[in-house]
Amino acid sequence: MSDSDKRAAQLLSLSNNSELDVLEDPQKRATSCIAAIGSLGERLRSAGSLRAEHERAVGVAIDIYRRKALAAGMAPAEVSRAVAESRAEVDDGNQQARMAMACLRQLT
């Protein structure tokens, strides 16, 4: 496979990290991940595709990123506000899903 083929495959990957990689600010990265994972969880829940163990995993992932935001110096109210802003900025569910998968992939 050529380098350009590999790059194209990476860009098409559902767990493409490019959107996440550009977020250098740890606070923005953490709150964007909280928003994206929460959005993905809601989509799966509304489709009836979220079993109890998945629900717990979504909660754990959100808690991890919430702790990262707090550790980066944000107050709890700031985290909530930033998550709401992040969700408002990205209204494309597919983009949120790709971001969520990239965030989840970083946790593994």
Side-chain angles (χ1 to χ4, degrees):
M1 197 185 269
S2 72
D3 286 341
S4 63
D5 289 341
K6 288 178 187 176
R7 177 74 178 141
Q10 183 182 28
L11 289 172
L12 292 172
S13 170
L14 288 176
S15 61
N16 176 11
N17 285 346
S18 63
E19 293 173 12
L20 188 59
D21 290 341
V22 298
L23 299 175
E24 294 180 11
D25 177 19
Q27 293 176 348
K28 180 67 174 168
R29 180 183 288 251
T31 56
S32 294
C33 284
I34 294 167
I37 294 167
S39 175
L40 179 61
E42 288 172 10
R43 286 180 74 183
L44 293 172
R45 196 176 300 111
S46 70
S49 301
L50 202 62
R51 296 188 310 222
E53 65 266 19
H54 299 134
E55 187 76 50
R56 282 190 299 277
V58 166
V60 167
I62 288 172
D63 286 344
I64 290 169
Y65 280 107
R66 186 172 307 282
R67 286 193 305 271
K68 287 178 181 257
L70 295 171
M74 296 183 84
E78 290 176 307
V79 173
S80 297
R81 210 171 19 258
V83 168
E85 289 171 6
S86 181
R87 291 189 90 167
E89 288 172 6
V90 183
D91 61 352
D92 178 3
N94 292 331
Q95 184 179 353
Q96 285 281 29
R98 284 189 301 275
M99 174 73 86
M101 286 187 266
C103 293
L104 293 170
R105 188 169 152 202
Q106 283 199 340
L107 294 177
T108 60

